[in-house]
Amino acid sequence: MIACVAVVGHQNNPLYIQSFTEADDALKLHHIVHCSLDVVDERVNNPKKSGPTLNETFLGLLYPTENYKVYGYLTNTKVKFILVTTDLDVRDADVRNFFRRFHAAYIDAVSNPFHVPGKKITSRTFAERFFSQLQLGIEQILYHLCSFSRNSGSDLYQI
């Protein structure tokens, strides 16, 4: 399950952050997002150590914690997308597709002539499109998890 999603500007200023947990966990998730920015900077500044090429926007798994996995995505304009999940068995292809759809929604939001670059995203259309993408992403992940459990021969069909 997706616990938190964040859009962070090129100067590490939060443009959009949404958590999907209790209020007590929201601060913890904000801290995880903030800490993940150091990992993103390390991967961007040291491409030989981290593996992916400079033109690869999907950064993959940034780091796992005890309860969460943190994924990253970097745009050409150095805007960072951070995804925090509670699922431990998430396929990279699903996360990559989620980030591509989320990036498209972000592009539409900042292309609005009334949006001020570098300011928080307050567009209701962006939020609605994001939640529809979130719904699609969750359904896709659940489909893959259910098909994996059916193919593994276990009788665990509920998530």
Side-chain angles (χ1 to χ4, degrees):
M1 181 175 170
I2 295 175
C4 181
V5 174
V7 178
V8 181
H10 69 280
Q11 296 177 337
N12 290 341
N13 54 323
L15 300 177
Y16 182 83
I17 188 161
Q18 180 68 47
S19 59
F20 304 100
T21 60
E22 299 173 6
D24 296 339
D25 290 340
L27 184 60
K28 180 179 180 181
L29 292 170
H30 287 222
H31 178 72
I32 289 172
V33 168
H34 181 72
C35 291
S36 67
L37 297 177
D38 293 333
V39 178
V40 170
D41 288 340
E42 181 181 320
R43 288 199 183 176
V44 170
N45 294 331
N46 300 321
K48 293 180 183 176
K49 293 181 182 177
S50 64
T53 60
L54 288 175
N55 57 2
E56 178 66 34
T57 57
F58 178 64
L59 299 173
L61 179 67
L62 298 177
Y63 67 92
T65 65
E66 186 176 320
N67 299 323
Y68 304 106
K69 279 190 170 183
V70 182
Y71 293 90
Y73 184 92
L74 182 69
T75 68
N76 292 336
T77 57
K78 305 297 183 212
V79 173
K80 301 152 198 84
F81 298 148
I82 307 295
L83 172 69
V84 182
T85 67
T86 57
D87 294 329
L88 301 178
D89 297 327
V90 179
R91 295 181 344 160
D92 278 349
D94 294 336
V95 177
R96 188 183 302 253
N97 287 334
F98 174 79
F99 275 132
R100 285 187 184 141
R101 291 190 307 266
F102 191 47
H103 189 187
Y106 169 77
I107 289 170
D108 288 345
V110 298
S111 296
N112 182 348
F114 299 107
H115 175 73
V116 179
K119 298 293 182 186
K120 289 192 176 199
I121 300 171
T122 58
S123 169
R124 187 174 57 201
T125 306
F126 174 74
E128 290 170 358
R129 186 164 174 198
F130 166 70
F131 284 115
S132 70
Q133 296 300 327
L134 179 66
Q135 178 93 16
L136 181 63
I138 289 173
E139 289 173 0
Q140 188 177 33
I141 290 169
L142 288 176
Y143 171 77
H144 288 297
L145 286 175
C146 289
S147 66
F148 174 75
S149 65
R150 280 188 227 123
N151 293 338
S152 65
S154 69
D155 26 9
L156 176 72
Y157 290 101
Q158 295 181 354
I159 307 280

